[in-house]
Amino acid sequence: MQEQPLSLYELNALVKRGIRACLPDVYWVRAELSDVRSNYSGHCYVEFVQKDPRGNNLIAKARGTVWSPVYRLLKPYFEEETGQPFAAGIKVLVKVAVEFHELYGYSLTVHDIDPAYTLGDMARRRREILKQLEEEGVLTLNKELEIPLPVQRIAVISSATAAGYGDFCHQLEHNPYGFVFYSRLFPAVMQGDRVEQSVIAALDAINACRDDWDVVVIIRGGGATSDLSGFDTYELAANCAQFPLPVITGIGHERDDTVLDCVAHTRVKTPTAAAEFLVNRVHDTAELLQGYASSVRQIVSARMEREKAVLNRMGERIPMQIRIRMKEETHRQHRLLEQLETGAQACLRREKYRQDMAKTRMDLAVKHCLAVKRHRLDAVQIRLETAVANRMAGETHRLRLLEQEVKAASPQHLLARGYSITLRNGRAVTDASLLKEGDELVTRFAQGEIKSVVTKKTE
């Protein structure tokens, strides 16, 4: 155990000397760029990472520095050789020296880069994308579409300020045959990180009105080949491969085909070549139509000659045919007249027989109806007589009962049973309290009546 403790600087200095002693050389290292930043002084600061191929998790990371003298040479060299920007997301093979700084810690200083490794990785990624599209069954879908005849309605995906777009429009407008084309620009970003998103958005806009267009042309004028990475993505290739209209690409890259070129219906080198392809396509269609028109004229002329000869022969046969037809018609009219007379007589006989039968049926129906009516009237009369007799008997019985009830309720009948009735001023007295002394009363019996005067009231 050491007696005197070390300061952090002293410890880092020991580490620095140890790394220099153990790793004095430069080493070729495979890694992926996860961050690339350059500052005002021209230096470039990067971050190298390595991922686990099974889980895609980071298993190693290191800071890297490309000093400005090296970076000024390395960046254009790499981009010219690979056609790929020196940016995050790519895999590189770099020659580095291991450095350790007391303040900034561990880092790698980049001295050189091998573009062939990145080209191989890019080619591998392209192969993987194309293989995935083939496994999904969409790789050649767009190539299987037929370009309409003629092809004059062009949906163009490009940048509005691109020189290639201007060349394309000029070539279409001033074609040597005077063909008319109807084109519309669907603007998109054609370089940088937004290529994929922008071009897919333009394809979606075209798809919304796809019945208005015959083909889609994706063009990009000149520029650095390092700007083509946006055309090597799976999403853009899948959208293009499955697009319902034929896609023609002319993105100005002659050396290698991008993934987009591989799935498009037709690939040409430049925007001008795309315009020439369309003009030649219409020219071929025009020649085909002219050939059809010439064939039609010949066929029509020959047919007209044959029909004219037929008409002449028919004209010569018309008089004889008319006489034969007149005789046939006269004979047919005689037969029709005879058939008409025979038919009329038969019809009259059938109508007379039908009327006689109808009259007989009507007479029988009237007699039957009268008999039914008479039977119904007799039945009704019998029912009425029975009902009247029953009603009379019932009413006679009811009157007798009422007579008995009236007799039973008669005052005379009550008097005959031994009751009497007292009257005051001709009215029956039913309450003794209503009488007063001196009132004259008349009491009636079944036989006779008596008169009396109230002399005393008993409470």
Side-chain angles (χ1 to χ4, degrees):
M1 181 176 178
Q2 64 181 23
E3 298 179 357
Q4 184 68 24
L6 298 174
S7 67
L8 177 62
Y9 179 82
E10 291 172 337
L11 177 61
N12 285 351
L14 286 175
V15 173
K16 181 177 181 179
R17 288 195 297 272
I19 289 177
R20 282 184 177 178
C22 295
L23 301 171
D25 299 325
V26 292
Y27 306 91
W28 285 101
V29 176
R30 300 186 305 272
E32 179 179 333
L33 296 178
S34 66
D35 186 26
V36 177
R37 292 176 289 107
S38 59
N39 62 10
Y40 65 93
S41 62
H43 305 312
C44 180
Y45 301 96
V46 300
E47 184 177 64
F48 297 109
V49 296
Q50 182 178 349
K51 298 177 181 178
D52 184 354
R54 292 171 296 179
N56 207 34
N57 298 319
L58 291 181
I59 58 175
K61 182 168 66 173
R63 292 185 298 107
T65 304
V66 188
W67 302 117
S68 58
V70 177
Y71 187 61
R72 284 196 299 268
L73 299 175
L74 182 146
K75 182 177 185 295
Y77 165 67
F78 175 82
E79 293 181 349
E80 181 180 357
E81 290 295 320
T82 63
Q84 177 82 7
F86 188 76
I90 62 173
K91 292 184 178 180
V92 293
L93 178 62
V94 291
K95 181 185 286 187
V96 299
V98 181
E99 304 285 349
F100 188 88
H101 191 274
E102 292 85 347
L103 179 60
Y104 301 110
Y106 165 71
S107 67
L108 303 175
T109 300
V110 178
H111 293 278
D112 198 0
I113 191 168
D114 184 1
Y117 177 80
T118 304
L119 283 173
D121 182 67
M122 291 168 56
R124 179 186 57 79
R125 284 195 300 169
R126 288 176 183 161
R127 288 194 302 270
E128 290 175 352
I129 292 174
L130 293 175
K131 182 179 180 181
Q132 182 177 356
L133 293 173
E134 183 177 9
E135 291 174 349
E136 294 172 357
V138 301
L139 179 63
T140 61
L141 287 182
N142 198 262
K143 297 181 182 295
E144 295 169 4
L145 299 176
E146 292 187 4
I147 297 180
L149 297 177
V151 53
Q152 293 179 285
R153 302 176 302 169
I154 317 299
V156 184
I157 298 178
S158 183
S159 172
T161 58
Y165 173 64
D167 296 339
F168 175 82
C169 294
H170 181 272
Q171 187 74 12
L172 286 185
E173 184 177 355
H174 299 88
N175 67 86
Y177 309 106
F179 297 139
V180 177
F181 292 88
Y182 306 94
S183 63
R184 173 184 166 187
L185 175 65
F186 290 82
V189 176
M190 303 307 286
Q191 62 182 21
D193 298 335
R194 295 176 54 206
V195 170
E196 177 186 44
Q197 175 185 359
S198 180
V199 175
I200 291 177
L203 287 172
D204 291 340
I206 296 171
N207 188 49
C209 55
R210 58 181 177 273
D211 293 338
D212 298 336
W213 310 107
D214 297 325
V215 294
V216 177
V217 176
I218 303 177
I219 54 176
R220 170 186 176 273
T225 56
S226 60
D227 297 327
L228 294 175
S229 60
F231 299 99
D232 282 325
T233 67
Y234 168 79
E235 290 297 332
L236 179 56
N239 273 268
C240 179
Q242 300 175 82
F243 200 71
L245 297 177
V247 177
I248 301 171
T249 58
I251 55 179
H253 186 50
E254 300 183 13
R255 184 175 60 182
D256 295 313
D257 289 340
T258 63
V259 175
L260 181 64
D261 291 324
C262 294
V263 300
H265 183 281
T266 302
R267 185 259 189 187
V268 295
K269 295 180 179 179
T270 63
T272 302
E276 291 176 352
F277 173 81
L278 295 173
V279 171
N280 292 334
R281 185 82 179 185
V282 176
H283 179 257
D284 294 342
T285 304
E287 289 186 341
L288 182 63
L289 292 175
Q290 288 177 355
Y292 288 156
S294 177
S295 299
V296 168
R297 284 194 298 269
Q298 293 177 0
I299 294 172
V300 169
S301 297
R303 183 62 180 270
M304 288 184 67
E305 291 296 330
R306 290 196 301 271
E307 293 299 326
K308 184 177 180 180
V310 172
L311 288 174
N312 290 334
R313 291 195 300 271
M314 293 180 65
E316 294 173 355
R317 295 166 53 188
I318 285 176
M320 181 182 299
Q321 292 295 327
I322 289 176
R323 289 193 296 271
I324 295 173
R325 187 61 180 270
M326 288 292 291
K327 290 179 180 180
E328 292 176 349
E329 288 297 321
T330 301
H331 182 64
R332 190 174 66 86
Q333 288 178 5
H334 287 312
R335 288 199 309 271
L336 289 175
L337 184 59
E338 292 174 356
Q339 293 172 0
L340 183 60
E341 292 175 352
T342 303
Q345 292 175 0
C347 185
L348 287 173
R349 287 194 297 270
R350 286 195 300 271
E351 285 298 320
K352 184 178 179 181
Y353 175 76
R354 189 177 64 81
Q355 290 177 2
D356 292 341
M357 292 299 293
K359 183 178 180 183
T360 302
R361 287 195 296 270
M362 185 177 293
D363 292 341
L364 292 174
V366 169
K367 290 179 180 180
H368 177 72
C369 184
L370 289 174
V372 171
K373 292 291 184 182
R374 190 177 297 110
H375 176 73
R376 288 180 179 176
L377 289 173
D378 293 342
V380 169
Q381 184 177 358
I382 293 171
R383 287 197 298 272
L384 285 174
E385 290 175 353
T386 303
V388 169
N390 293 335
R391 185 65 179 270
M392 289 294 291
E395 291 297 323
T396 300
H397 179 70
R398 192 173 66 85
L399 286 174
R400 289 175 181 174
L401 293 176
L402 290 174
E403 183 180 1
Q404 292 176 2
E405 292 177 359
V406 170
K407 287 180 179 182
S410 171
Q412 193 66 30
H413 181 72
L414 293 174
L415 292 176
R417 292 174 58 187
Y419 292 97
S420 63
I421 182 170
T422 302
L423 303 175
R424 188 186 66 171
N425 298 327
R427 295 184 177 181
V429 177
T430 60
D431 187 359
S433 64
L434 297 177
L435 298 177
K436 58 186 177 179
E437 294 181 359
D439 287 342
E440 292 185 356
L441 302 176
V442 177
T443 302
R444 289 182 180 177
F445 301 95
Q447 300 294 332
E449 62 181 20
I450 63 173
K451 292 183 180 181
S452 61
V453 175
V454 178
T455 60
K456 184 179 178 180
K457 293 178 60 176
T458 303
E459 297 296 333

